[in-house]
C-alpha cells in the first residue's frame, strides 16, 4: 500500500496570511490526525477526523481548523499566521478497527515557515 | 491534564553500547506505542504494547510495559549508527474513544562510531 502523502512539503508564508495543507491517508484508513511538531513543544495533537467528522481536538486556537472529505483525504487550515506557527505539520492515518486502532502512520510532513 | 514523560531527553553512546529510554504516564494507559524519528524524517511506528507486564522484542530492541500500565521502556542492545534518531512513546488519551495520542517529549539518541 502507498503510504501517507502530504502536500506541499515546504511552505513559506508571511504573518497574517492563511495556509491550507493537504493529507492523503493510507488506502482504507478512515481516521486522520494532525500534529504540530516544534523543537520546544514536541509533538502536539491538533485534531482527528473520522468519517468526515472531527472526533477529537487538541488545545490549539480557533485559527487552526480542518476537514475531511468522503474519500478520507483531509485538509488543515491555519488562518492569520503567526511567527510561532512555524513548525513541521504531520498528518497520520490509522485504521480504527480492531486491536491496531491506535497505531498511527505518519506522512513526511509539511514544513511551514512563517516570516 | 494527562501527561507522558520521557527520560533522558538526550543520550550519547559509543557504538556497541546499550541504550535505554524510559516513559512514564500520569494515568493508566490502555496501551503504549513507540515511534522512531530519524533526523529530518517523520515518526515511524515501531510497536504497540497492550498487556500489563508485556515484553516484546524486535531484533536488538526490547520493549516493556509496566505492571501498572503507567510506564514503559525501550532498550537497545549493542547500538549501531542506524539506531540514531529520536524515540517517542505515546499513549491514548484516557477515556478517549478516538485516536488522540499523547506523546512523550522523546529521547534523542546519537551514536558515535
Amino acid at each position: 500500500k502507498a503510504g501517507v502523502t502530504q502536500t506541499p512539503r515546504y511552505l513559506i508564508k508571511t504573518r497574517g496570511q492563511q495556509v491550507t495543507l493537504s493529507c492523503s491517508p493510507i488506502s482504507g484508513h478512515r481516521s486522520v490526525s494532525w500534529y504540530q511538531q516544534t523543537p520546544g513543544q514536541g509533538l502536539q495533537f491538533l485534531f482527528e477526523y473520522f468519517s468526515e467528522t472531527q472526533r477529537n481536538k487538541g488545545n490549539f486556537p480557533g485559527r487552526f481548523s480542518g476537514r475531511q472529505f468522503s474519500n478520507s483525504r483531509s485538509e488543515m487550515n491555519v488562518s492569520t499566521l503567526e511567527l510561532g506557527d512555524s513548525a513541521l505539520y504531520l498528518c497520520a492515518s490509522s485504521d480504527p478497527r480492531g486491536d491496531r486502532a491506535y497505531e498511527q502512520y505518519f506522512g513526511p510532513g509539511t514544513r511551514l515557515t512563517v516570516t | 491534564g494527562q501527561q507522558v514523560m520521557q527520560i533522558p531527553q538526550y543520550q550519547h553512546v559509543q557504538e556497541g553500547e546499550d541504550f535505554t529510554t524510559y516513559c512514564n504516564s500520569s494515568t493508566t494507559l490502555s496501551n503504549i506505542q513507540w515511534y522512531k524519528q530519524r533526523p529530518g524524517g517523520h515518526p515511524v511506528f515501531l510497536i504497540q504494547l497492550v498487556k500489563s507486564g508485556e515484553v516484546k522484542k524486535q531484533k536488538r530492541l526490547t520493549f516493556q510495559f509496566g505492571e501498572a500500565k503507567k510506564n514503559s521502556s525501550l532498550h537497545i542492545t549493542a547500538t549501531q549508527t542506524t539506531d540514531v534518531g529520536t524515540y517517542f512513546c505515546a499513549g491514548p488519551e484516557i477515556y478517549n474513544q478516538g485516536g488522540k495520542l499523547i506523546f512523550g517529549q522523546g529521547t534523542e539518541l546519537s551514536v558515535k562510531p
Side-chain angles (χ1 to χ4, degrees):
Chain A
K1 283 185 181 177
V4 178
T5 58
Q6 290 186 247
T7 56
R9 293 292 310 279
Y10 303 92
L11 207 49
I12 300 175
K13 289 287 189 177
T14 305
R15 267 182 305 176
Q17 288 185 314
Q18 75 164 19
V19 67
T20 299
L21 312 181
S22 182
C23 170
S24 292
I26 291 172
S27 178
H29 284 191
R30 294 166 59 195
S31 170
V32 174
S33 297
W34 289 89
Y35 293 83
Q36 181 195 65
Q37 187 174 35
T38 58
Q41 298 297 317
L43 275 159
Q44 300 286 310
F45 176 84
L46 279 156
F47 27 66
E48 180 205 8
Y49 285 87
F50 176 73
S51 292
E52 302 177 63
T53 301
Q54 187 180 89
R55 185 159 67 170
N56 284 292
K57 191 176 189 305
N59 298 321
F60 279 82
R63 300 185 297 107
F64 292 81
S65 63
R67 59 179 176 168
Q68 186 180 34
F69 302 95
S70 58
N71 61 358
S72 294
R73 190 177 70 85
S74 178
E75 289 181 346
M76 69 162 280
N77 184 276
V78 188
S79 62
T80 320
L81 284 166
E82 300 176 0
L83 294 178
D85 296 333
S86 295
L88 180 66
Y89 289 88
L90 292 158
C91 162
S93 75
S94 65
D95 180 355
R97 295 170 293 182
D99 56 4
R100 305 184 69 173
Y102 292 110
E103 298 175 11
Q104 303 282 304
Y105 294 87
F106 285 85
T110 294
R111 173 74 62 186
L112 173 64
T113 302
V114 182
T115 62
Chain B
Q2 182 180 353
Q3 290 185 310
V4 175
M5 295 145 286
Q6 263 185 275
I7 55 169
Q9 190 174 357
Y10 303 97
Q11 186 79 59
H12 309 285
V13 301
Q14 194 78 31
E15 189 172 23
E17 291 182 339
D18 291 357
F19 159 77
T20 304
T21 174
Y22 300 91
C23 180
N24 288 286
S25 170
S26 59
T27 62
T28 301
L29 298 170
S30 59
N31 68 77
I32 194 156
Q33 300 170 41
W34 286 91
Y35 294 80
K36 176 184 178 181
Q37 185 173 20
R38 295 181 185 274
H42 57 275
V44 174
F45 174 80
L46 293 177
I47 205 161
Q48 179 181 205
L49 304 173
V50 179
K51 299 176 184 176
S52 169
E54 187 170 15
V55 177
K56 286 189 176 181
K57 292 189 176 184
Q58 290 180 348
K59 297 183 180 178
R60 295 176 296 103
L61 277 61
T62 301
F63 304 84
Q64 188 165 6
F65 201 7
E67 294 291 337
K69 301 183 75 172
K70 294 183 72 174
N71 57 73
S72 181
S73 65
L74 159 59
H75 179 82
I76 302 179
T77 304
T79 54
Q80 300 175 358
T81 55
T82 52
D83 296 325
V84 164
T86 301
Y87 293 85
F88 294 95
C89 62
E93 186 182 55
I94 194 169
Y95 305 129
N96 192 294
Q97 297 302 312
K100 182 177 180 180
L101 290 180
I102 309 296
F103 277 81
Q105 287 292 85
T107 295
E108 184 179 337
L109 172 65
S110 64
V111 180
K112 187 175 181 180

